[in-house]
């Protein structure tokens, strides 16, 4: 028998199938990892198929040296996922397969851990009457059978164990143990679903993609749990994806409480050992529900009854570094493989997903009201230019200060949200609110400090820095944004006696720091939590009655065609933190562009109105989802090399215009907005395509680039970061 093997090296030139002989005394299965001779070296590989015959010269074909594991680490369905991704995302087979295994496994680093367990050897031993601990220990073991050393030691003392062991009353043995990250006892608390939730569950029954559009607090989590329960009862498994586990601790504890050890967690916060153990529990079928960030879509689990992507609009579902992929694509493929539903849940679906629901590609399921019947909090728009005119040039509007005072006297809580994304910023007239935009692209220009210029991150066009507003002639033009620290120190001046906490990248770098800050906030009445995007999601604090959005425009005027959509999503999400319990909530939204359509729709929670307006604009301006953007980024330490490579590729891509003159809406080559990163010079080719033949053109672009070069080119589809 012969094995078709992929070598575990992320090198394009050897990313193909090699054949090896399976020695007759060796048992090899499809999906196993193996050691094989390769040239003069011994390398790791994956067996992707087995055949009786060999297309290579039988006298020259080499033997597999040995299997690495005793089981096929890559399951059959995952081999299919690999084929799908290689084609869809133009990836190498090896780099794709690597996504499916804990990295420690490939490096052979993870050691299984063992613990000592004790059990009774003599059942009729009677300890002396004053040896109470010994008696208790024996009674305990009679009831429990076998108990770990650490548990017995904690309960009865290690000396007691030793004494009984020395007397040969106890026997011990070593057993492998699994490290289960946080253990939470199982509870049987069940919520009675309301009418809308029940309807949603009924609708989500057969194969297909379902967009679950539910307002914040509508009880989507309960719907997810019921759907999963239903599939478990049929003997099936589930995958549930969340944007980032550390930001959704409540979701995780709810699931652990409901499903106990059936839940496995996969995310970056786990130690290498924990990750490997969870992977094994999933692999072996002990765990039936996988919860994790985007890479959990690669969990080694088959017989899926449902896949859920919560907060489906989140950017974290796009893998932006190699290997690049979009989680939704893979989830769809896996759902099809298993003939099961895929649920995309959100209060603010992405424009792309909602368009698919409107077009009939997805089934739309709606939860339009909060589960507890409460109204969504009122959002008040505050015009910060008006504040300036009234002589208030501070961070907080008069209204926000008044509302904060109210929170303090009522001993309630407030959350202050500061929008910080990237390091770039835009230029704005402090008097009329004018924002500098690219005349060709209609996106805001980004200020680049090093050469003191404004740049368009889409077409590369550069502009002189403004010193005078073209709109109102004012010279009061500024760039830069407020930071969390500034807000905290201002709040401390205003309210010296109350607890003010900060949550951002700086304060959450250590393990469990999120949880610590959140716990401290929970117990602070009155209290204020100041934070970035991190405080926007999922938190359910019953005493929060006020949410302040300090500078809503920060995400609005980013150089990104999705910036308006993001702003709408952020406002809705942040606002959803207020008034979740008995007390009514309120949101203050501070902006320098109060008449922008996004604020009108967001303050009325009018998602559909926003979708209509925004998708019209995208269609007119020829942006996704109505077109496809491709960016090829060339980076090299040698500027001339990068430029040469760019030229070759550009010439070839330009030739595509002969065949696809109608489909290529835009094509240009230029320096990247950030010219040099880590000493590498950066150039880019940008193109925008009509959708009709986009797949075909995309494939050709990849081929051109891959033929011209082996390294240092990144191709991105609809990139979110254009720097
Ligand atoms: P979402 O994820 O849609 O924002 P959650 O799932 O967090 O909303 O639910 C919001 C709150 O409503 C939670 O405290 C949850 O326990 C509660 N809840 C959900 N469903 C019901 C129900 N049927 N009856 C009462 N409370 C519910
Ligand atoms: Zn102006
Ligand atoms: Zn431009």
């Amino acid at each position: 028998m012969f094995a078709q093997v992929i070598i575990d090296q992320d090198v394009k030139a050897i990313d193909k199938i090699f054949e090896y002989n399976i020695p007759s005394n060796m048992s090899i299965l499809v999906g196993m990892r193996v050691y094989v001779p390769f040239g003069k070296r011994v390398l790791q590989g994956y067996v992707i198929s087995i055949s009786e015959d060999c297309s290579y010269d039988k006298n020259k074909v080499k033997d597999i040296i040995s299997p690495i594991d005793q089981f096929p680490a890559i399951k059959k369905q995952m081999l299919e996922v690999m084929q799908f991704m290689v084609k869809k995302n133009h990836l190498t087979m090896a780099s794709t397969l690597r996504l499916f295994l804990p990295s420690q496994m490939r490096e052979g680093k993870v050691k299984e851990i063992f613990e000592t367990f004790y059990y009774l050897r003599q059942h009729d031993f009677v300890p002396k009457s004053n040896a109470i601990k010994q008696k208790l220990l024996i009674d305990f073991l009679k009831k429990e059978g076998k108990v770990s050393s650490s548990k017995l030691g904690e309960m009865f003392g290690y000396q007691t164990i030793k004494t009984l062991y020395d007397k040969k009353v106890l026997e011990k043995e070593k057993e492998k143990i699994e490290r289960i990250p946080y253990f939470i006892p199982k509870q049987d608390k069940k919520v009675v679903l309301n009418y809308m939730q029940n309807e949603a569950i009924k609708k989500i029954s057969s194969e297909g993609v379902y967009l679950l559009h539910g307002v914040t607090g509508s009880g989507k989590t309960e719907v997810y749990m019921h759907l999963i329960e239903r599939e478990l009862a049929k003997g099936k498994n589930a995958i549930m994806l969340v944007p980032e586990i550390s930001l959704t601790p409540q979701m995780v504890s709810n699931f652990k409480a409901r499903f106990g050890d059936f839940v496995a967690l996969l995310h970056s916060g786990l130690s290498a050992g924990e990750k490997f153990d969870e992977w094994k529990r999933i692999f072996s079928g002990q765990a039936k529900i996988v919860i994790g960030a985007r890479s959990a879509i690669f969990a080694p689990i088959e017989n899926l009854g449902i896949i859920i992507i919560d907060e489906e609009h989140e950017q974290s579902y796009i893998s932006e570094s190699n290997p690049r992929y979009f989680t939704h694509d893979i989830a769809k493929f896996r759902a099809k493989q298993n003939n099961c539903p895929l649920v995309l849940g959100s209060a603010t679906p992405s424009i792309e997903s909602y368009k698919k629901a409107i077009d009939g590609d997805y089934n739309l399921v709606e939860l339009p009201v909060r589960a507890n019947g409460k109204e969504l909090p009122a959002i008040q728009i505050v015009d910060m230019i008006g504040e300036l005119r009234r002589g208030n040039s501070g961070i907080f509007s008069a209204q926000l200060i008044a509302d904060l005072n109210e929170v303090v006297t009522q001993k309630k809580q407030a959350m202050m949200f500061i929008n910080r994304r990237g390091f770039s910023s835009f230029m704005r007239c402090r008097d009329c609110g004018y924002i500098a935009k690219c005349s060709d692209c209609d996106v805001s220009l980004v200020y680049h400090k090093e050469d003191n210029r404004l740049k368009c991150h889409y077409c590369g066009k550069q502009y002189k820095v403004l010193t005078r507003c073209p709109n109102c002639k004012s010279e009061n033009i500024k760039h830069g944004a407020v930071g969390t620290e500034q807000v905290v120190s201002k709040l401390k001046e205003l309210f010296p006696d109350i607890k003010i906490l900060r949550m951002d990248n700086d304060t959450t770098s250590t393990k469990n720091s999120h949880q610590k800050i959140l716990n401290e906030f929970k117990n602070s009445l009155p209290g204020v939590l100041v934070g970035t995007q991190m405080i926007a999601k999922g938190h359910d604090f019953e005493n929060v009655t006020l949410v302040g959005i300090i500078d809503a425009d920060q995400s609005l005027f980013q150089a990104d065609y999705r910036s308006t959509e993001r702003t709408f999503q952020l406002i809705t999400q942040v606002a959803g933190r207020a008034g979740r319990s008995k007390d009514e909530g309120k949101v203050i939204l501070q902006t320098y562009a109060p008449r922008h359509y996004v604020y009108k729709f967001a303050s009325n929670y009018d998602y559909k109105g926003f979708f209509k307006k925004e998708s019209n604009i995208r269609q007119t301006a020829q942006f996704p989802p109505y077109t496809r953007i491709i960016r090829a980024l060339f980076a090299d330490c040698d500027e001339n090399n990068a430029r040469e490579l760019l030229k070759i590729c550009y010439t070839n891509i330009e030739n595509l215009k002969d065949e696809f003159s109608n489909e290529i809406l835009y094509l240009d080559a230029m320096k990247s907005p950030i010219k040099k990163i880590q000493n590498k010079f950066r150039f880019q080719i940008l193109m925008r395509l009509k959708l009709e033949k986009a797949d075909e053109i995309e494939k050709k672009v990849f081929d051109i680039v891959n033929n011209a070069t082996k390294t240092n080119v990144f191709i991105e589809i609809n990139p979110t970061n254009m720097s």
Side-chain angles (χ1 to χ4, degrees):
M1 298 291 269
F2 300 92
Q4 286 75 48
V5 173
I6 291 165
I7 304 298
D8 188 20
Q9 297 280 316
D10 187 16
V11 178
K12 192 103 202 160
I14 61 167
D15 194 57
K16 51 189 172 198
I17 294 165
F18 293 91
E19 295 197 90
Y20 289 91
N21 179 47
I22 304 175
S24 55
N25 61 350
M26 200 182 283
S27 152
I28 295 289
L29 299 168
V30 172
M32 270 191 177
R33 302 191 304 145
V34 289
Y35 287 114
V36 290
F38 195 83
K40 288 196 171 66
R41 291 186 292 169
V42 172
L43 295 178
Q44 300 190 5
Y46 306 89
V47 175
I48 63 154
S49 56
I50 289 174
S51 61
E52 293 208 0
D53 230 338
C54 159
S55 55
Y56 195 64
D57 182 348
K58 276 187 194 147
N59 298 315
K60 285 191 188 157
V61 68
K62 291 179 190 160
D63 283 358
I64 287 178
I65 297 170
S66 67
I68 299 175
D69 319 295
Q70 297 308 314
F71 54 89
I74 309 284
K75 297 198 173 190
K76 185 170 151 285
Q77 285 201 343
M78 297 316 289
L79 285 174
E80 292 165 11
V81 172
M82 183 267 287
Q83 304 285 9
F84 167 76
M85 288 178 71
V86 165
K87 191 150 177 259
K88 171 101 193 165
N89 301 309
H90 318 276
L91 303 172
T92 60
M93 293 187 280
S95 69
T96 309
L97 287 170
R98 284 179 181 186
L99 291 168
F100 304 168
L101 296 174
S103 61
Q104 304 80 6
M105 203 163 150
R106 288 183 35 247
E107 291 152 12
K109 273 190 206 144
V110 178
K111 294 267 181 307
E112 298 185 329
I113 54 167
F114 291 88
E115 192 175 354
T116 306
F117 282 75
Y118 287 94
Y119 56 92
L120 286 177
R121 187 167 162 179
Q122 294 178 39
H123 284 264
D124 44 10
F125 174 78
V126 183
K128 290 202 189 99
S129 61
N130 62 348
I132 296 165
K133 279 190 182 163
Q134 290 186 18
K135 178 167 178 349
L136 288 174
L137 191 154
I138 290 169
D139 287 348
F140 187 69
L141 280 183
K142 275 183 183 159
K143 210 166 73 216
E144 299 286 323
K146 199 156 63 181
V147 178
S148 73
S149 156
S150 55
K151 188 164 182 185
L152 279 186
E154 208 174 280
M155 293 176 76
F156 309 105
Y158 288 94
Q159 191 52 50
T160 320
I161 304 176
K162 188 173 180 321
T163 311
L164 288 172
Y165 180 74
D166 290 346
K167 283 187 202 282
K168 299 206 163 41
V169 176
L170 298 185
E171 186 55 276
K172 67 177 175 187
E173 68 181 29
K174 280 197 192 272
E175 229 176 62
K176 201 173 80 196
I177 64 156
E178 265 104 32
R179 290 153 278 217
I180 298 175
Y182 22 43
F183 178 76
I184 295 159
K186 201 166 158 175
Q187 294 167 7
D188 273 332
K189 187 193 110 190
K190 262 196 203 147
V191 176
V192 181
L193 295 187
N194 62 35
Y195 175 78
M196 295 302 288
Q197 288 170 317
N198 268 319
E199 285 300 297
I201 285 166
K202 266 189 240 158
K203 279 188 202 155
I204 303 171
S205 53
S206 53
E207 191 185 331
V209 184
Y210 297 82
L211 183 63
L212 178 63
H213 179 207
V215 298
T216 56
S218 59
K220 293 188 287 296
T221 314
E222 276 302 326
V223 170
Y224 300 152
M225 289 199 277
H226 275 77
L227 287 169
I228 290 175
E229 219 155 40
R230 188 180 71 191
E231 297 308 318
L232 289 188
K234 292 187 219 158
K236 299 203 169 173
N237 302 318
I239 294 179
M240 157 102 189
L241 303 179
V242 295
E244 205 185 313
I245 286 211
S246 61
L247 300 186
T248 44
Q250 279 163 347
M251 169 85 81
V252 172
S253 44
N254 284 341
F255 269 76
K256 279 266 177 184
R258 181 79 56 93
F259 299 109
D261 288 348
F262 277 173
V263 176
L265 292 182
L266 285 179
H267 63 99
S268 56
L270 299 179
S271 73
E274 285 170 342
K275 223 182 256 178
F276 183 54
D277 289 343
E278 288 295 77
W279 187 88
K280 277 189 306 181
R281 291 207 310 123
I282 299 163
F283 188 91
S284 65
Q286 274 176 281
K288 305 200 171 301
I289 306 164
V290 179
I291 302 182
R294 67 168 181 247
S295 61
I297 196 64
F298 304 124
I301 191 166
E302 292 179 326
N303 191 22
L304 288 168
I306 193 154
I307 301 174
I308 296 165
I309 302 184
D310 188 34
E311 309 280 6
E312 70 89 26
H313 61 277
E314 282 290 329
Q315 231 177 308
S316 62
Y317 291 118
I318 303 168
S319 162
E320 289 193 315
S321 55
N322 264 339
R324 296 170 193 275
Y325 61 87
F326 181 40
T327 311
H328 293 39
D329 293 335
I330 298 153
K332 274 180 217 170
F333 182 81
R334 295 207 72 184
K336 257 222 168 82
Q337 259 183 329
N338 290 276
N339 306 313
C340 77
L342 165 64
V343 179
L344 307 174
S346 176
T348 52
S350 70
I351 295 289
E352 191 183 353
S353 292
Y354 202 79
K355 179 175 182 297
K356 291 206 166 101
I358 299 278
D359 293 346
D361 299 338
Y362 295 172
N363 306 289
L364 186 60
V365 181
E366 295 174 303
L367 295 174
V369 292
R370 280 191 160 176
N372 61 6
K374 280 263 166 187
E375 292 286 320
L376 290 158
I379 300 179
Q380 182 179 346
I381 298 172
V382 175
D383 175 4
M384 292 305 278
I385 289 170
E387 290 289 309
L388 279 171
R389 284 206 198 98
R390 285 188 289 276
N392 174 11
S393 60
I395 300 172
F396 306 117
S397 59
Q399 183 66 54
L400 185 52
I401 292 175
D403 288 332
L404 275 167
N405 268 313
E406 179 75 12
V407 166
V408 173
T409 47
Q410 302 284 329
K411 293 206 164 26
K412 294 290 174 189
Q413 296 180 318
M415 284 169 124
M416 294 292 123
F417 175 72
I418 288 100
N419 202 341
R420 281 300 253 159
R421 210 178 82 82
F423 43 81
S424 56
S425 59
F426 50 92
M427 281 213 132
R428 176 168 60 194
C429 169
R430 284 298 185 102
D431 288 331
C432 76
Y434 171 86
I435 300 272
K437 283 189 168 182
C438 175
S439 53
D440 295 342
C441 306
D442 199 37
V443 295
S444 331
L445 297 170
V446 175
Y447 175 65
H448 284 247
K449 200 171 174 186
E450 78 272 24
D451 42 9
N452 196 33
R453 285 176 87 78
L454 295 173
K455 296 181 187 176
C456 172
H457 279 198
Y458 275 85
C459 68
K461 199 161 165 178
Q462 303 198 4
Y463 298 79
K464 262 198 261 170
V465 165
L466 297 176
T467 48
R468 174 190 275 266
C469 172
N471 190 37
C472 75
K473 310 287 178 262
S474 158
E475 289 176 8
N476 190 9
I477 277 201
K478 290 218 170 108
H479 60 82
V482 211
T484 44
E485 273 166 282
Q486 245 176 302
V487 171
V488 168
S489 69
K490 203 78 210 162
L491 280 172
K492 283 189 172 152
E493 265 172 47
L494 289 168
F495 305 98
D497 304 324
I498 73 166
K499 192 92 194 164
I500 293 158
L501 293 153
R502 173 158 79 99
M503 188 153 142
D504 56 22
N505 277 332
D506 297 337
T507 59
T508 54
S509 49
T510 55
K511 202 175 173 176
N512 299 331
S513 45
H514 285 104
Q515 206 49 53
K516 269 191 212 137
I517 297 170
L518 294 175
N519 285 341
E520 201 178 346
F521 179 56
K522 198 175 184 135
N523 299 319
S524 306
L525 285 173
V528 183
L529 178 63
V530 177
T532 54
Q533 266 75 343
M534 284 180 193
I535 65 169
K537 266 176 278 219
H539 307 300
D540 204 359
F541 293 109
E542 55 178 10
N543 287 308
V544 172
T545 54
L546 175 67
V547 163
I549 303 174
I550 301 302
D551 188 347
D553 311 340
Q554 269 305 318
S555 64
L556 187 55
F557 300 114
Q558 292 285 338
D560 174 354
Y561 69 89
R562 276 177 277 215
S563 58
T564 317
E565 174 181 1
R566 291 247 174 72
T567 305
F568 186 90
Q569 289 162 349
L570 268 173
I571 293 169
T572 309
Q573 243 166 23
V574 182
R577 299 312 112 216
R580 294 177 72 90
S581 190
K582 305 178 292 294
D583 306 301
E584 213 154 282
K586 180 178 182 184
V587 181
I588 298 292
L589 188 160
Q590 301 189 154
T591 168
Y592 291 87
R595 272 171 296 279
H596 194 290
Y597 65 89
V598 71
Y599 298 129
K600 186 184 98 194
F601 291 117
S603 62
N604 292 318
Y605 297 97
D606 182 5
Y607 177 83
K608 284 177 192 171
F610 173 73
F611 171 82
K612 217 166 161 189
K613 172 91 182 170
E614 182 65 15
S615 57
N616 270 334
I617 290 174
R618 298 267 186 99
Q619 192 163 18
T620 313
Q622 298 185 322
F623 274 119
Y626 295 91
T627 59
R628 187 177 301 176
I629 296 177
I630 298 183
R631 169 166 97 145
L633 179 70
F634 300 76
D636 201 301
C637 297
D638 184 328
E639 189 171 359
N640 284 327
N641 278 352
R643 203 191 295 270
E644 273 313 301
L645 199 55
L646 175 93
K647 258 189 207 153
I648 297 168
C649 291
Y650 186 73
T651 311
N652 286 319
I653 291 172
E654 218 178 8
N655 287 338
L656 293 175
K657 272 189 170 169
D658 300 341
E659 195 184 339
F660 300 103
S661 60
N662 263 324
E663 284 78 15
I664 299 178
L665 297 164
Y666 171 90
L667 170 66
D668 206 358
M670 68 205 74
K671 282 186 178 170
S672 295
I674 301 178
K675 281 189 303 244
K676 202 164 135 185
I677 291 182
Q678 291 172 331
N679 270 328
K680 284 185 176 163
F681 293 89
R682 294 150 54 88
F683 294 86
Q684 64 188 27
I685 294 174
L686 267 185
M687 50 197 313
R688 233 180 286 165
L689 309 174
K690 277 193 195 166
L691 292 181
E692 287 77 52
K693 292 185 179 166
D695 280 343
E696 199 180 333
I697 301 171
E698 182 184 310
K699 169 95 176 62
K700 287 184 194 283
V701 171
F702 270 90
D703 286 345
I704 289 170
V705 172
N706 285 333
N707 280 336
T709 170
K710 284 174 190 63
T711 48
N712 294 340
V713 185
F714 294 109
I715 301 186
E716 291 167 279
I717 310 300
N718 299 341
T720 50
N721 177 358
M722 298 289 283
S723 51

